[in-house]
Amino acid sequence: MTATETTPGTTSVGTTAPGTATVAAADRQTVPPEEKYAAELEFLAAHDSGPRPPGWRLTPRAVVTFVMGSGGEKLKAGRKGLVIEPKFVGERALVERCVVTLAGERGLLLVGEPGTAKSMLSELLAAALCGTSALTVQGTAGTTEDQLKYGWNYALLLAKGPSREALVPSPVLTAMTTGAVARVEEVTRCLPEVQDALVSLLSERRIAVPELAGTPDGQLHAAAGFTLIATANLRDKGVSEMSAALKRRFNFETVGPIGSLAAEVDLVRRQSTVAVARAGAAYAVDDAVLEALVTAFRDLRTGRSTEGWEVERPSTVMSTAEAVSVATSLGVSAAYLPDGGDLLGRLPGQLLGVVRKDEPADAARLLGYWDGPVRRRAEQGAATWRTLWDLRSALEA
């Protein structure tokens, strides 16, 4: 797929919808994966000509390669060669199971702690399968059944009565009728009665429109290629518990934290570098600061240091996404503030801001971490941790 092709539910790059202004991709804060990686998607479609599930743009094998990368190998398609960059840091087996689930037309539910890249993985899968990740419903307590099924253009409804023309499809219905991938973010934040609108949709693969009963549009059927990816945070498990009927329509896959320290440091570096560049600055966070930052996050997340020392875990999820935010803040400080170059000096305050998000009393747990692993590493002669130990007073303010 090229960046100028139109996909279901999207406007092609360079076109302007009536009454709106076009924002060039280079000027956007974020670019959807189908545009950002358009060259890779087009290349993979030509590279792997094997069998594809109905409606898919890539083979299942090519989808996995798109998400996980080609391992530095330059793939060949005719005279062209391209190295596919890795986009998701996690287990290849997890991605393969997700792709198999979607190929079998089962609903896929990605669950895990906040900040484990569930949404990013769902975007990448949707972009690879159908060419758009835009057919999305954000689940909240205010999400209605209409947002999962359909609504009405009331001006047309009053003027002409119920008709397909007056029906306003939801992103899910658009995905159904065009054979695309629908995404429902934070599905467990939707009220149970709203969630259950997905039950018949996933089992019968059609939506009944009672207002159009007796017409060809009384039943709207799913086209080949339609599937649904939902996400849910484990922290929200008790907000709106899914019914047993809805659970049976999904295959559950758990997306966990990144296992490798080096891989997490690399990811934090790459993503914070991009974020600082968007802020108009050069990146100046050195590797020693990044490693200390990510190590602290991992220790507090797991309740155990890399050396095996016990650590009291704060209530806040010390996610990789939060680590990226802290690294970005440090990078922006270094670029724009007069004393911004003292990044280690700013790190304790940044960590304190993170751990106090859910429970202010967690500041004591961070202080305990300083009195434990940070002090021990300082005593063992680690220069970075010696500096951090000397900054302990910043946590007592």
Side-chain angles (χ1 to χ4, degrees):
M1 184 191 80
T2 64
T4 56
E5 290 178 337
T6 302
T7 53
T10 65
T11 302
S12 59
V13 175
T15 64
T16 304
T20 64
T22 298
V23 179
D27 296 328
R28 301 181 206 162
Q29 289 188 331
T30 61
V31 179
E34 57 268 24
E35 295 182 25
K36 184 176 182 179
Y37 303 110
E40 289 191 3
L41 291 168
E42 183 179 25
F43 176 86
L44 286 169
H47 167 74
D48 192 341
S49 58
R52 307 176 188 191
W56 283 35
R57 296 193 172 203
L58 300 180
T59 67
R61 179 171 53 190
V63 174
V64 176
T65 301
F66 173 69
V67 175
M68 300 302 298
S70 59
E73 176 187 358
K74 180 178 284 189
L75 304 180
K76 298 291 185 181
R79 294 183 177 180
K80 294 182 179 179
L82 189 66
V83 176
I84 306 301
E85 66 174 90
K87 303 162 189 70
F88 173 73
V89 180
E91 295 181 0
R92 186 182 187 88
L94 165 67
V95 177
E96 290 176 345
R97 291 194 302 271
C98 292
V99 171
V100 168
T101 292
L102 297 171
E105 296 186 338
R106 287 276 291 174
L108 173 65
L109 181 62
L110 301 174
V111 300
E113 295 284 357
T116 50
K118 299 181 296 298
S119 296
M120 184 185 74
L121 178 56
S122 73
E123 284 185 326
L124 292 170
L125 291 169
L129 266 63
C130 68
T132 180
S133 60
L135 299 174
T136 305
V137 176
Q138 178 62 53
T140 69
T143 301
T144 65
E145 188 174 335
D146 290 357
Q147 292 172 270
L148 294 177
K149 296 174 73 174
Y150 62 88
W152 295 98
N153 179 324
Y154 286 102
L156 284 175
L157 189 65
L158 292 172
K160 299 182 178 180
S163 66
R164 181 64 186 271
E165 183 185 9
L167 185 144
V168 179
S170 69
V172 177
L173 181 54
T174 299
M176 284 186 64
T177 55
T178 58
V181 178
R183 300 170 52 235
V184 180
E185 293 287 329
E186 312 289 2
V187 66
T188 51
R189 299 201 69 82
C190 300
L191 297 175
E193 57 268 27
V194 175
Q195 293 179 27
D196 284 344
L198 298 172
V199 174
S200 60
L201 185 152
L202 288 173
S203 58
E204 300 171 7
R205 300 283 160 162
R206 63 178 182 266
I207 289 180
V209 186
E211 296 88 346
L212 301 181
T215 74
D217 296 318
Q219 295 276 344
L220 301 178
H221 295 266
F226 166 69
T227 190
L228 188 142
I229 305 173
T231 65
N233 283 329
L234 292 176
R235 292 291 178 109
D236 295 335
K237 186 176 181 181
V239 174
S240 295
E241 182 67 27
M242 295 172 67
S243 67
L246 183 55
K247 287 180 180 179
R248 288 197 300 272
R249 269 68 180 184
F250 283 104
N251 279 357
F252 284 57
E253 290 293 344
T254 301
V255 183
I258 298 172
S260 164
L261 171 63
E264 188 166 3
V265 170
D266 182 63
L267 178 64
V268 171
R269 180 190 300 109
R270 284 189 283 112
Q271 293 198 355
S272 58
T273 298
V274 172
V276 171
R278 285 203 304 267
Y283 195 69
V285 183
D286 62 48
D287 288 349
V289 174
L290 278 179
E291 185 169 339
L293 163 64
V294 175
T295 298
F297 264 75
R298 292 171 68 87
D299 292 347
L300 292 165
R301 179 194 307 151
T302 61
R304 183 175 294 273
S305 74
T306 54
E307 298 87 352
W309 303 321
E310 292 292 328
V311 175
E312 192 172 4
R313 297 172 60 183
S315 305
T316 302
V317 177
M318 306 297 290
S319 67
T320 304
E322 286 282 5
V324 172
S325 296
V326 172
T328 301
S329 296
L330 293 175
V332 172
S333 297
Y336 289 123
L337 298 183
D339 60 343
D342 180 19
L343 298 185
L344 276 179
R346 293 180 176 273
L347 184 54
Q350 291 285 346
L351 289 172
L352 186 60
V354 172
V355 300
R356 296 180 66 177
K357 281 187 176 181
D358 287 348
E359 177 54 62
D362 279 341
R365 292 186 171 91
L366 183 61
L367 196 59
Y369 176 67
W370 239 255
D371 290 337
V374 174
R375 177 181 58 80
R376 291 185 183 184
R377 289 167 184 157
E379 290 173 348
Q380 291 175 355
T384 299
W385 296 95
R386 175 75 249 181
T387 301
L388 288 173
W389 171 245
D390 290 341
L391 294 167
R392 182 185 183 281
S393 60
L395 301 176
E396 298 175 321

